[in-house]
Amino acid sequence: MVRVSVSPEMLTWACERAGYNVEYFAKSLPQLEAWIRQEKRPTFNQLEKLANITHTPFGYLFLKTPPSEILPIPDFRTVSGNSINKPSPNLLDTIYAMQRRQNCLQELLIEDGVAPLAFVSSARLSDKPDLVGQEMRKVLGLHNGWAANIRTWQDAVSELRRLIEELGIIAVINGVVGNNTHRKLNVEEFRGFALTDPYAPLIFVNGADAKSAQIFTLAHELAHIWLGKEGISGFENLLPCGTNVEKWCNQAAAEFLVPTEELSSYWKDAKRMKNPFQKLARIFKVSPIVTARRALDLEFVTRQTFFDFYKNYVEQEHRNSSTSSGGNFYNSQNTRVGKLFAIRALNAAEEGRILFKEAYHLTDLHNGHLEKYVKHLEKTNA
């Protein structure tokens, strides 16, 4: 049995990179600590197991010193120019997976002679964000009162994601890496990110976040596409932090979801009610914390009023979600993969333009599940 020499520093780094100490992974690999003390050497199979459970690229373990891992896209989660933290394996793997999807779709669209999307990078930081937010609504066909016939704000999230995909933007909402429910994404690390491209722009929303906040992140990342500034976003309590890009996108998203003129017209009556934010939420089909955030923007309420409401609402939402059952397969794939990319990927595989293996890998749908999902889309016209 062939055994290999590995730097103790790399073994420790792999564990810490995954967010745990050596003792945690020693439960699965009892000899791990002996390898670090260089009393024993691992086999290739044992080293592969360590790479798998720590989500570390196998080749990295043979380096003498840890590599410097940086985000492959700009980081807008900054305060005074300093990055908040090092990217986790889950975040890195998610970004790389979305970049692969984007690159695949871009190549297919260019081969088909499809024209680039005019709205990508159509805005500038010098533009007024509220006007751009209004323009975004027009392009999506969301005129005043568009949500009147939608039952709930949760349904409005699904409808908005669908309309964004119809524009040609891949829109993903996922709280785990791919379909791996053991690799949950961390909301404290990021809320979402945008990958800009004139042919295949992509929006990713961290589905581990409170559902009430996801619609705001969706609109925020849409503003990134309009601005042509790809990168990763993070904000506290739906309030901007960090760069001017984030502040601009937050303002555009706020106007997009809850236009100033409309909110102002409803506020006189709403403010007299016991639950004004819930009342406004039913009108605009957004979550109450979004209407509360908008009321703060327009100085209808104090910061303390907003923060108190936000904290209580999100805590209640988390308590309710902890007792809910999981969603079904099709609903999960609607947000994790989506119609736009799933159908394109399967068609490309059937035409021999990409391998079926590649289509399965790109969608994280194996063993016939991609075909099953696409048939469902065609049957239900989802």
Side-chain angles (χ1 to χ4, degrees):
M1 185 178 297
V2 179
R3 295 185 178 273
V4 294
S5 296
V6 183
S7 165
E9 183 181 3
M10 292 306 302
L11 296 174
T12 303
W13 170 81
C15 297
E16 294 175 347
R17 174 181 181 271
Y20 298 93
N21 57 28
V22 171
E23 289 75 16
Y24 176 86
F25 291 106
K27 297 174 184 177
S28 299
L29 286 167
Q31 299 183 63
L32 176 58
E33 292 176 295
W35 301 339
I36 292 175
R37 293 192 300 267
Q38 295 186 302
E39 297 171 355
K40 295 182 180 180
R41 292 188 300 171
T43 65
F44 271 103
N45 288 341
Q46 289 172 327
L47 207 56
E48 284 182 332
K49 182 177 181 180
L50 178 64
N52 288 333
I53 63 177
T54 59
H55 312 298
T56 303
F58 184 60
Y60 280 14
L61 296 177
F62 294 94
L63 298 175
K64 293 187 181 298
T65 57
S68 176
E69 291 187 296
I70 59 174
L71 286 166
I73 56 177
D75 186 357
F76 292 117
R77 308 164 302 156
T78 56
V79 178
S80 300
N82 297 316
S83 181
I84 292 178
N85 51 27
K86 294 180 180 179
S88 69
N90 288 351
L91 173 55
L92 287 172
D93 288 349
T94 297
I95 294 175
Y96 293 144
M98 294 304 104
Q99 286 180 324
R100 288 193 293 270
R101 283 188 192 177
Q102 182 186 57
N103 292 338
C104 175
L105 183 57
Q106 179 202 59
E107 291 177 6
L108 293 172
L109 293 173
I110 291 176
E111 287 177 5
D112 291 339
V114 175
L117 300 170
F119 57 81
V120 178
S121 303
S122 61
R124 299 289 182 271
L125 273 176
S126 57
D127 295 336
K128 292 184 177 180
D130 57 335
L131 296 180
V132 175
Q134 294 169 16
E135 176 64 19
M136 287 160 52
R137 285 171 65 93
K138 291 179 182 178
V139 173
L140 265 72
L142 300 179
H143 303 294
N144 290 352
W146 70 274
N149 297 320
I150 296 179
R151 190 171 61 89
T152 67
W153 60 262
Q154 291 95 332
D155 293 336
V157 175
S158 298
E159 176 64 7
L160 180 57
R161 194 197 65 80
R162 185 187 68 80
L163 291 173
I164 289 173
E165 286 225 320
E166 286 191 352
L167 283 185
I169 302 172
I170 302 173
V172 179
I173 303 176
N174 199 354
V176 299
V177 180
N179 276 320
N180 189 342
T181 56
H182 297 291
R183 300 186 65 186
K184 294 183 179 180
L185 300 177
N186 185 358
V187 177
E188 293 182 2
E189 183 173 25
F190 80 108
R191 298 278 185 168
F193 60 81
L195 302 178
T196 56
D197 178 83
Y199 293 93
L202 183 147
I203 288 172
F204 187 95
V205 174
N206 190 341
D209 200 358
K211 292 187 180 299
S212 55
Q214 290 175 18
I215 192 169
F216 189 84
T217 304
L218 192 61
H220 176 97
E221 302 306 335
L222 184 64
H224 272 276
I225 299 298
W226 241 259
L227 193 58
K229 298 288 187 181
E230 73 174 15
I232 183 169
S233 302
F235 32 84
E236 294 291 333
N237 304 330
L238 304 190
L239 297 176
C241 63
T243 68
N244 289 333
V245 169
E246 288 296 85
K247 294 175 182 177
W248 190 97
C249 289
N250 261 30
Q251 292 171 9
E255 182 67 23
F256 171 80
L257 291 171
V258 185
T260 300
E261 184 177 347
E262 286 188 73
L263 178 60
S264 298
S265 67
Y266 286 114
W267 182 250
K268 289 182 179 179
D269 292 330
K271 69 179 181 180
R272 300 189 184 97
M273 298 180 179
K274 182 178 180 180
N275 300 306
F277 305 134
Q278 286 85 341
K279 170 64 176 178
L280 293 168
R282 287 192 289 272
I283 295 172
F284 290 99
K285 293 303 189 299
V286 296
S287 73
I289 63 171
V290 173
T291 55
R293 154 77 164 79
R294 200 68 177 112
L296 175 63
D297 285 342
L298 301 178
E299 298 182 349
F300 293 160
V301 298
T302 65
R303 291 177 68 86
Q304 189 61 51
T305 297
F306 169 74
F307 288 133
D308 289 344
F309 178 79
Y310 182 96
K311 179 181 178 181
N312 291 334
Y313 188 90
V314 172
E315 286 179 352
Q316 181 63 46
E317 182 178 342
H318 282 311
R319 285 195 294 269
N320 294 339
S321 64
S322 65
T323 59
S324 64
S325 59
N328 66 42
F329 169 80
Y330 297 121
N331 288 340
S332 295
Q333 300 319 309
N334 282 342
T335 58
R336 293 178 180 177
V337 182
K339 181 177 181 179
L340 172 62
F341 188 74
I343 292 179
R344 279 279 185 177
L346 182 58
N347 287 346
E350 291 175 339
E351 294 166 1
R353 299 167 70 181
I354 64 174
L355 298 175
F356 274 95
K357 181 179 180 180
E358 182 181 0
Y360 300 150
H361 179 64
L362 288 168
T363 58
D364 283 301
L365 293 172
H366 305 269
N367 302 320
H369 286 105
L370 175 57
E371 291 88 342
K372 180 181 178 182
Y373 173 54
V374 171
K375 285 182 181 179
H376 170 76
L377 289 173
E378 295 171 343
K379 181 180 179 180
T380 60
N381 194 29

